[in-house]
Amino acid sequence: MNRRFVIWGALGALMLVAAPAHTQGIFGKIKNRARTEVDRKENDAIEAMAKAVTCAITDKACIKKAHDAGTPVKVTDKNGKPVSTADSAAAISAAVAQAASVADEEPAGTPAAPAGGAAAAAGASAPGAGAWLNYDFVPGARTIYYDDFAGDDVGDFPRRMKLKEGNLEVVNIKGQKMLRAAESGKLFIVLPEKLPDRFTVEVLYHSPTATSPLRFSTGGNTHSFGCYPTSAWVDAESKSGGKNYKKASTEFVNCRFTVDTRYVRGYIDSVRTANAPDATIVRTDTLFVEIPGGENNDPTLLATVRIAEGGKKLYDLISTKGRASTQGILFELGSDHIRGESTPTLAEIGDMLKAHPALKLAIEGHTDNVGSAASNQALSDKRAAAVKQLLVSKYAVDAARLKSVGYGATKPVAPNTTEEGRQNNRRVELVKQS
């Protein structure tokens, strides 16, 4: 076997030596031509980027104008730093995409996709201020199910849901996919596991009707719960659906529920409107959803659905395991700006540090793997630092007790191959320091 290799190697060398001069010249020309083509493409790319227009991620007019002119766009955050590839693509898509591509035009009255991504329907005031002053909803720490319909084809029923009745389809509204219900319908979601004793449900939706609710149940002899555009309610032994939270019918609202054994709380955006201590919610692996129809060409739209396991108190986890992970600290898209919905989690951390003055923490920022490693690393650094700064300024925590560090996508807790995995990897962790 070794002799064959030696012989073939010798023959190959001999062939190269013996090749006619004009053949070697052809090879040389081909090589030079290939190198020239590579250089040309690199130069074109460099020239294109030199002509690129820089637009802030919130400046949709700038992004659309550059796109329509055929000019490359550099998308940055509010501080002028480049955002991740995924955030850049999403911003460009949202700025230039046409409405509801199923019909090539929007029906009259169709609302715009919520600005700032899937969870920013309520006001933009800072944590612990304005509308968020008395807000107490804490999202579950581990995502069981998440769907924003990004993986579905327009015109189809969502592949991860099951249709029971009605005419429901995925549409594209200004670059964001959603589930549209022109008429009422019913569907169910089969979960990968049974619902735990403590869980949360979050849905971002729009509905023009104030007479038919978005309704959830878990099957069997169980109570239902749900939302109108103006209030959340629970159908328990003592029905719970408090004061209405007034919202214009053209807006999206966040419909949220915390289910803890028999206790159910319901929220519309920043306001708790349902508080039922005696609800019977059977724990199954299925969530049934009834969706109201639209009115006068104004359809009901679901933008995102998240179901998560409710977590333990942060101090209980830190004292027993030395660390705690939370998804209750939320940020604006591609930014380190902390959203108002983060109020309850930040307040819990601040109160914990006040109650335990010897406790020192490292605040870790983590991302999924969407976008470049460099941008994810930079974003996680800034977000961890923003959390530290807020705890110092808002809750008077001694800065010496805190340190911040970002790890980007280098320490995933779940595979980045599913929506749930990416959700769980986008997190803030608190680690006890000696």
Side-chain angles (χ1 to χ4, degrees), residues 15-333:
M15 289 171 68
L16 288 174
V17 172
H22 73 275
T23 304
Q24 296 183 41
I26 291 172
F27 289 154
K29 289 179 180 178
I30 293 174
K31 180 178 180 181
N32 290 336
R33 189 176 302 153
R35 180 65 257 174
T36 300
E37 181 67 15
V38 171
D39 290 342
R40 184 186 65 78
K41 290 181 178 179
E42 290 179 350
N43 290 335
D44 288 348
I46 293 172
E47 290 178 5
M49 290 310 296
K51 297 177 182 178
V53 174
T54 300
C55 299
I57 196 168
T58 55
D59 192 347
K60 293 184 178 180
C62 172
I63 295 172
K64 187 177 187 303
K65 182 178 179 181
H67 180 273
D68 291 348
T71 306
V73 184
K74 293 180 181 177
V75 182
T76 69
D77 62 18
K78 64 180 181 180
N79 298 316
K81 301 294 185 181
V83 301
S84 71
T85 303
D87 285 349
S88 177
I92 294 172
S93 176
V96 304
Q98 296 300 314
S101 58
V102 176
D104 292 328
E105 62 180 37
E106 292 178 13
T110 300
S125 56
W132 306 107
L133 184 62
N134 298 314
Y135 183 67
D136 64 352
F137 175 81
V138 177
R142 181 177 66 88
T143 302
I144 298 172
Y145 177 91
Y146 179 84
D147 205 346
D148 60 4
F149 313 105
D152 295 307
D153 293 329
V154 169
D156 288 353
F157 182 78
R159 59 185 174 81
R160 301 184 65 205
M161 296 178 172
K162 304 294 183 182
L163 180 63
K164 190 172 182 181
E165 63 180 61
N167 183 17
L168 309 174
E169 62 182 355
V170 174
V171 296
N172 190 321
I173 305 292
K174 299 189 185 308
Q176 184 173 338
K177 290 184 179 179
M178 305 180 191
L179 180 62
R180 179 170 68 182
E183 59 185 42
S184 61
K186 297 180 181 180
L187 60 85
F188 59 97
I189 300 169
V190 178
L191 306 172
E193 61 189 76
K194 283 188 176 182
L195 289 165
D197 284 343
R198 301 181 65 204
F199 67 91
T200 59
V201 176
E202 302 170 74
V203 179
L204 177 62
Y205 90 111
H206 158 82
S207 178
T209 176
T211 57
S212 299
L214 178 68
R215 181 187 300 268
F216 306 98
S217 65
T218 58
N221 185 20
T222 185
H223 292 120
S224 59
F225 53 96
C227 288
Y228 294 97
T230 57
S231 67
W233 53 269
V234 181
D235 183 15
E237 274 76 10
S238 56
K239 291 179 180 286
S240 177
K243 63 179 182 179
N244 285 348
Y245 171 58
K246 301 297 183 183
K247 293 288 291 186
S249 62
T250 57
E251 296 182 6
F252 280 77
V253 294
N254 277 298
C255 173
R256 299 177 169 119
F257 288 90
T258 296
V259 182
D260 189 349
T261 314
R262 290 177 59 87
Y263 211 121
V264 183
R265 295 181 177 90
Y267 305 77
I268 285 288
D269 289 340
S270 60
V271 180
R272 185 175 71 194
T273 66
N275 197 22
D278 55 0
T280 300
I281 307 297
V282 178
R283 269 51 172 186
T284 68
D285 65 353
T286 305
L287 184 69
F288 295 90
V289 186
E290 296 181 30
I291 304 175
E295 295 179 355
N296 301 323
N297 294 322
D298 187 1
T300 295
L301 297 166
L302 266 66
T304 58
V305 180
R306 180 179 186 259
I307 304 167
E309 181 180 22
K312 296 180 179 179
K313 293 293 185 181
L314 294 177
Y315 183 72
D316 292 342
L317 290 170
I318 291 173
S319 61
T320 57
K321 297 184 177 181
R323 65 170 56 232
S325 178
T326 177
Q327 293 198 356
I329 302 177
L330 306 175
F331 301 87
E332 297 292 353
L333 182 65

